[in-house]
Amino acid sequence: MNFDEIIDRKNNFAAKYDELKQKFGRSDLIPLWIADMDFRTAEPIIEAIKQRADQGIFGYTSRPDSYYEAVCDWLEKYHGWRPEKQLMLHNLGVVVSLSMLIQNFTQPGDKIIIQTPVYYPFFDVIKNNDRKLVENPLKQVNGHYEMDYADFEQQAQNGAKWFLLCSPHNPVGRVWTREELQRIGEICLKYKVRIIADEIHADIVFPGHKHVPIASISPLLSRITITCLAPSKTFNLAGLQASIIIFPTKEERDKFDDILGVLDIKRNSCFNLVAVEAAYRQGRAWLENVLKYIEGNFKYINDYCKNNIPAIKPNYPEGTYLVLLDCRQLGLDQKQLHDFMVNKARVALDDGFWFSNTLEQYMRLNAACPRHTLQKALQQIAEAVHTLQTENI
């Protein structure tokens, strides 16, 4: 497991590289934007795919019980929750699941709560399905994001029907505690607000913090929660299109299964079938090592900015591999900041305002890359900041 290895992804149709021109207007950038890793995945996963490819037949693929059992065993061992496999379904991806759930389990005009700033597809899956977006902004207290329970309760009293939870939270990097989740869950129970929990980053959690599936907290919360998760962030498998949905009842599970059948997307591909099972059965050692490496990247980013770019203040995520850069001291508005990072520093980052207007003058940086890549990107940012500050003297 050599996470320092620089892998040329320009020839493997990686969106992170191939879409630079389309997204940022130029292709000569260090890509630290879209949330996938620049690391090879775990060898057991690679080997499972190779062995399946060697069979040479790629027809319609059935799903053995061992597929869901691997997911259940993983959740029980590492997250203290063993859902019933009879309540689980495979789907292409978490965002696909969020959109399909909102389309088919909510009604046009329903109020759906999100906690901003948040992963920008949350806005789209609500607005594009003709539902009413309700923001419950997170509070920033001494640089630490917290839930605003009073505002959340007010939104629930005002008729919100559903709550789209991001846990761990992207982009602020919070790993919600059991107490925080229990408190927000109690409000949902009190006002009959259903929960859809996006827990895709459940395994990207760092020492001192523990992910708690909200459905695991109590039988009451389990009955109002639909959980969406995937191995894609954990093991860098987004291109294999595999995710899991866990329903509270067989009736809801069967309703969604019928929808998948109409769309003819009920089956796994032959490759994500074996990859998911290998990941959850044999991928833990790789994950533990990659988490240590990424945490080292967090420390490097914080130390580098403190010593070389004090005007940029990174956070230190509790979970996810995504770092928020507070760039307000540069004195640039969001449009200027975007142009500065692209055309002066020559790095591709996610603009903060994509997640909420409260993150204007912030950028999101993907730290799941070799240290050398980070060093080069931060050096380019530092040089650009020095030039900017010199010009402003």
Side-chain angles (χ1 to χ4, degrees), residues 345-358:
R346 301 185 317 284
V347 295
L349 307 174
D350 285 325
D351 290 272
F353 77 90
W354 295 356
F355 307 92
S356 168
N357 56 15
T358 63

Side-chain angles (χ1 to χ4, degrees), residues 10 35 46 50 104 116 122 232 276 300 303 314 325 343 375 382:
K10 294 178 181 176
I46 297 170
K50 286 180 178 178
N104 295 283
T116 52
F122 277 33
S232 52
V276 169
Y300 179 82
D303 289 346
L325 303 178
N343 296 311
Q375 291 168 345

Side-chain angles (χ1 to χ4, degrees), residues 227-255:
T227 302
C228 302
L229 51 89
S232 52
K233 300 301 180 198
T234 309
F235 297 101
N236 205 30
L237 304 179
L240 290 180
Q241 294 192 303
S243 73
I244 307 295
I245 315 176
I246 304 170
F247 293 89
T249 66
K250 187 175 185 302
E251 290 74 19
E252 289 189 339
R253 183 259 181 210
D254 290 348
K255 175 182 177 179

Side-chain angles (χ1 to χ4, degrees), residues 46-118:
I46 297 170
E47 187 58 32
I49 293 171
K50 286 180 178 178
Q51 289 181 9
R52 182 63 186 84
D54 285 345
Q55 294 175 17
I57 299 177
F58 312 110
Y60 293 118
T61 302
S62 66
R63 185 182 305 116
D65 287 344
S66 58
Y67 180 82
Y68 289 134
E69 287 169 359
V71 181
C72 289
D73 289 347
W74 178 277
L75 289 172
E76 182 177 36
K77 186 170 183 178
Y78 299 111
H79 300 297
W81 178 43
R82 188 174 187 88
E84 297 179 36
K85 66 181 181 183
Q86 292 82 4
L87 298 179
M88 304 171 80
L89 283 175
H90 163 87
N91 200 6
L92 298 177
V94 166
V95 175
V96 177
S97 297
L98 299 179
S99 186
M100 291 176 66
L101 287 166
I102 288 169
Q103 282 178 6
N104 295 283
F105 284 65
T106 74
Q107 300 299 317
D110 276 358
K111 296 179 178 179
I112 303 176
I113 302 172
I114 62 173
Q115 294 179 314
T116 52
V118 74

Side-chain angles (χ1 to χ4, degrees), residues 78-213:
Y78 299 111
H79 300 297
W81 178 43
R82 188 174 187 88
E84 297 179 36
K85 66 181 181 183
Q86 292 82 4
L87 298 179
M88 304 171 80
L89 283 175
H90 163 87
N91 200 6
L92 298 177
V94 166
V95 175
V96 177
S97 297
L98 299 179
S99 186
M100 291 176 66
L101 287 166
I102 288 169
Q103 282 178 6
N104 295 283
F105 284 65
T106 74
Q107 300 299 317
D110 276 358
K111 296 179 178 179
I112 303 176
I113 302 172
I114 62 173
Q115 294 179 314
T116 52
V118 74
Y119 182 48
Y120 42 87
F122 277 33
F123 297 86
D124 296 336
V125 298
I126 295 171
K127 291 180 177 178
N128 293 345
N129 284 305
D130 196 26
R131 274 54 171 174
K132 187 170 182 180
L133 178 73
V134 176
E135 294 191 38
N136 168 230
L138 299 173
K139 298 188 297 184
Q140 197 172 12
V141 181
N142 298 322
H144 183 78
Y145 282 90
E146 299 177 358
M147 294 188 186
D148 187 337
Y149 302 104
D151 179 76
F152 188 94
E153 184 161 11
Q154 185 63 55
Q155 303 299 349
Q157 283 181 319
N158 290 342
K161 302 288 188 183
W162 291 80
F163 168 38
L164 192 48
L165 170 68
C166 191
S167 177
H169 194 282
N170 171 16
V172 307
R174 277 300 317 279
V175 177
W176 305 118
T177 65
R178 177 178 292 273
E179 291 72 26
E180 287 172 312
L181 292 170
Q182 187 163 359
R183 188 169 175 184
I184 209 78
E186 286 169 355
I187 297 172
C188 290
L189 288 166
K190 181 178 179 181
Y191 295 98
K192 296 181 171 56
V193 176
R194 292 291 306 275
I195 301 169
I196 300 174
D198 173 357
E199 300 189 1
I200 196 171
H201 288 101
D203 300 308
I204 311 295
V205 172
F206 300 95
H209 307 280
K210 181 173 176 55
H211 171 71
V212 178

Side-chain angles (χ1 to χ4, degrees), residues 248-306:
T249 66
K250 187 175 185 302
E251 290 74 19
E252 289 189 339
R253 183 259 181 210
D254 290 348
K255 175 182 177 179
F256 201 89
D257 193 43
D258 289 342
I259 296 162
L260 294 174
V262 169
L263 297 173
D264 195 23
I265 54 174
K266 290 178 67 166
R267 296 184 177 91
N268 290 70
S269 82
C270 59
F271 294 115
N272 69 32
L273 178 78
V274 297
V276 169
E277 192 164 342
Y280 286 132
R281 293 291 186 203
Q282 301 170 272
R284 188 67 193 186
W286 180 92
L287 174 60
E288 289 176 356
N289 280 284
V290 83
L291 289 176
K292 290 177 185 175
Y293 190 90
I294 292 169
E295 190 175 23
N297 280 352
F298 292 164
K299 186 176 187 305
Y300 179 82
I301 293 166
N302 274 262
D303 289 346
Y304 189 95
C305 288
K306 181 179 179 180

